[in-house]
Amino acid sequence: PGRFRYTRQTTFGRRHMNLWTETSLHLWIKCFFRQFFHSVAKVDYLTLRHGFIAIHNSNSTFDFQKYIKRSLEDDFKVVVGISPHLWFLVVTFLLFDVHGWNVYLWLSFVPLVIMLALGTKLEVIVTRMALSVKNQSSVIKGSPLVQPNDELFWFANPRSLLHFLHLTLFLNAFEVAFFIWIWCEFGMKSCYHENIEIILTRVIVAVIVQLLCSYITLPLYALITQMGSQYKSSILNEQTANIMKKWHEGAKRNVKKHEQEEQSHFPSSSHHVVDSRNPTTNSIPSSSPTPRPSSPAVSPAKSNGKDVIEEVSHVAKSNGKDIIEEA
């Protein structure tokens, strides 16, 4: 930790800082082929873990691997779902399944292209993080400190990668399910399977996509999507998350209670106007209501509710250890 080194001399620097990263074209070519040899390198994992813990002020005993696992489990809830847009896409493919067009042959290559582009993009993100460390300082002390940044992701949104992954897995699952259903319903020698070469190509491509996703793209996605500007809610364990939800519900009830008290203190009934020229004169009823008191008169009631909400937001952004102590 106390050793000074050139950034290029670190293991992380030697892996990502070379002649292939000087131009964008060379960078994308290098990252395209790298995804087939190293899904998640050990040095990448340790460096990104170090950057995540340092930026989000977590303690050194933070279980980063367990956090990734919980985050991936939450993302699987989205991946296994089927939205109306995806069903509409299936109906479209069925309508365009015209004899001689071989729609399902071309469809089988769409998940492969998306998967390769997604894996390349994930590798590019890691390399650009390494280059940003190089631009910050040529000499560093200890491990390189990468900076999480949403701008490195498509649409400046790390969650956008999840939608591409969802689409890829859905199309691949539909391709395999449709092939199995036709085989079981009409047999292998039906009109759907006139060309054996096309059938073998579809099956082989589907298996390749599944292997790429399982052993290359998915581990990369699980690690690199944590390097956005904000961490996910899965950083809290289930018990702490439930405590925070109850705390938030209580804060909302307190705010609503304060608003009701304000309305009871200032009813919308008729008001009285005092003659300014003769203060001793009795008040005269007025048909038009007088203006409500200024904000400073009612600010204490509102500020109490706002303070509760701000406190909950502040605690939600803090690390897991602080949240448990506050709870």
Side-chain angles (χ1 to χ4, degrees), residues 39 48 121-123 125-126 129 153 158 161 219-228:
S39 176
L48 297 184
K121 177 61 177 179
L122 292 171
E123 292 285 357
I125 292 175
V126 181
M129 286 184 178
F153 297 87
L161 301 179
L220 276 172
Y221 165 83
L223 174 64
I224 298 174
T225 51
Q226 314 303 330
M227 304 312 295

Side-chain angles (χ1 to χ4, degrees), residues 200-320:
L200 291 177
T201 302
R202 289 171 52 187
V203 173
I204 293 174
V205 170
V207 173
I208 292 175
V209 169
Q210 201 65 30
L211 292 175
L212 284 175
C213 179
S214 301
Y215 293 100
I216 297 178
T217 310
L218 196 59
L220 276 172
Y221 165 83
L223 174 64
I224 298 174
T225 51
Q226 314 303 330
M227 304 312 295
S229 301
Q230 298 179 352
Y231 53 76
K232 300 181 181 180
S233 59
S234 55
I235 195 172
L236 307 175
N237 57 39
E238 185 176 358
Q239 182 178 3
T240 307
N242 293 333
I243 293 176
M244 293 300 301
K245 290 179 181 178
K246 293 180 181 179
W247 195 356
H248 181 258
E249 293 174 357
K252 292 175 63 177
R253 287 195 298 267
N254 290 336
V255 172
K256 187 176 181 180
K257 181 179 178 181
H258 286 307
E259 291 177 352
Q260 293 176 353
E261 291 178 355
E262 289 179 17
Q263 295 177 0
S264 62
H265 290 333
F266 303 100
S268 59
S269 59
S270 63
H271 299 273
H272 293 80
V273 179
V274 180
D275 189 355
S276 60
R277 294 173 297 178
N278 187 6
T280 59
T281 306
N282 295 332
S283 60
I284 303 172
S286 174
S287 58
S288 60
T290 59
R292 292 176 62 90
S294 60
S295 57
V298 296
S299 59
K302 289 185 177 180
S303 62
N304 292 335
K306 291 181 179 179
D307 290 342
V308 175
I309 295 296
E310 292 175 356
E311 181 68 19
V312 173
S313 301
H314 173 71
V315 174
K317 293 179 181 178
S318 62
N319 55 55

Side-chain angles (χ1 to χ4, degrees), residues 4-56:
F4 287 91
R5 293 175 294 173
Y6 287 105
T7 307
R8 287 181 173 273
Q9 292 180 350
T10 61
T11 307
F12 188 67
R14 291 196 302 267
R15 174 173 167 80
H16 296 285
M17 302 175 191
N18 49 46
L19 296 176
W20 283 93
T21 58
E22 293 182 354
T23 63
S24 297
L25 178 60
H26 290 162
L27 174 63
W28 280 84
I29 293 176
K30 172 187 175 182
C31 293
F32 174 80
F33 290 102
R34 169 170 284 179
Q35 63 178 322
F36 300 108
F37 300 98
H38 297 284
S39 176
V40 177
K42 182 178 180 180
V43 61
D44 291 348
Y45 174 82
L46 295 177
T47 304
L48 297 184
R49 177 187 180 275
H50 173 65
F52 179 90
I53 293 177
I55 297 300
H56 294 298

Side-chain angles (χ1 to χ4, degrees), residues 141-209:
K141 179 181 180 180
S143 301
L145 182 60
V146 295
Q147 297 289 334
N149 187 3
D150 288 342
E151 298 299 327
L152 297 174
F153 297 87
W154 282 325
F155 313 110
N157 183 14
R159 195 166 180 81
S160 62
L161 301 179
L162 177 62
H163 299 299
F164 286 102
L165 184 64
H166 185 194
L167 177 63
T168 302
L169 293 177
F170 172 78
L171 292 177
N172 197 60
F174 169 73
E175 175 73 14
V176 175
F178 187 79
F179 166 73
I180 295 176
W181 182 77
I182 292 297
W183 187 3
C184 296
E185 189 73 15
F186 303 105
M188 195 63 182
K189 296 182 179 181
S190 64
C191 59
Y192 285 96
H193 299 158
E194 292 180 346
N195 195 326
I196 300 299
E197 290 78 8
I198 292 179
I199 299 302
L200 291 177
T201 302
R202 289 171 52 187
V203 173
I204 293 174
V205 170
V207 173
I208 292 175
V209 169

